[in-house]
Amino acid sequence: MAEEGKSTVRAVERALDILICFTAGKDLVMTEIAERTGLHKSTVHRMLATLEDKGFIERDRVTDRYRLGMRVWELSAHLSRTDDPAVIWQPEMERLRDKLGETVSIYVRDGSERIRIQAVQSNQPVRRVAPIGARLPLYAGASSKVLIAYADPLVREEIFGDPSWLFTIDLDQYKMQLADITEQGYATSFEEREPGAAAFSAPIFGREGKLVAALSVSGPASRMTMDKMRDAAPILLEASKRMSTMMK
């Protein structure tokens, strides 16, 4: 019994050693992880598969490189750390809220869902309340479009093929919309997921120009008309650029 307990603790130590490998902030291939941890490749492979299944690790299926997964972001949303991106970004989010007067949120993708990891509420009496940690489907909303538009092509196809995807969506038209988003740099949504609500969103990039998160401004559709969102787009894009710089 004691030997079994020791084995279980060792498995936890190995999993944590693998996660610690990513403190340098770069994506790694399996051989690099094995070298850094001193573990056999077969052990690393098993550990990575479990961590990926639980959302703590993500594998880029194009380059076969690993990175920290969205579960880490979800946990960090409940921490107060000066090096947490959600905390680092908050002053910029507050400035954006003060300029536009609406609720500002940060979303990251986790499989076929998006997670709100940070939010700054509007000060207006009628506003959209954005609870941190909320999970929403990827098939609707401005931030969802950003998270899909700037994802790797293989990831996009996996999203479209997921059973949770809304199959009533015309994929050809949707892909054309995604192309427009990458060209103009931001996405909009008007009563797509929720009646009476509107939002627009821009990408936040990290090292090597990789998508990190989506910056979103949301509010009542009566205030956030399409014309107003287009007029405010330069302000949103400038904020997202500054937040991207913080990640480099």
Side-chain angles (χ1 to χ4, degrees), residues 151-164:
D152 290 330
L154 187 58
V155 172
R156 283 200 297 269
E157 294 307 314
E158 288 180 355
I159 293 170
F160 296 149
D162 191 277
S164 65

Side-chain angles (χ1 to χ4, degrees), residues 104-203:
V104 178
S105 302
I106 298 291
Y107 290 93
V108 295
R109 184 183 67 85
D110 183 17
S112 61
E113 297 178 310
R114 56 185 165 112
I115 305 172
R116 184 183 289 114
I117 64 167
Q118 184 62 290
V120 175
Q121 309 292 347
S122 169
N123 292 324
Q124 303 204 48
V126 178
R127 63 183 185 271
R128 296 197 70 237
V129 177
I132 295 174
R135 286 178 171 266
L136 300 168
L138 270 181
Y139 55 74
S143 57
S144 292
K145 295 174 189 175
V146 165
L147 293 172
I148 297 174
Y150 290 92
D152 290 330
L154 187 58
V155 172
R156 283 200 297 269
E157 294 307 314
E158 288 180 355
I159 293 170
F160 296 149
D162 191 277
S164 65
W165 182 257
L166 195 62
F167 289 103
T168 55
I169 295 175
D170 187 316
L171 270 184
D172 290 334
Q173 290 186 4
Y174 189 81
K175 289 178 180 179
M176 290 176 63
Q177 188 177 7
L178 295 180
D180 291 339
I181 290 168
T182 56
E183 183 176 346
Q184 67 185 10
Y186 69 96
T188 60
S189 63
F190 197 83
E191 298 186 317
E192 286 184 8
R193 189 184 64 84
E194 181 183 342
F200 61 140
S201 179

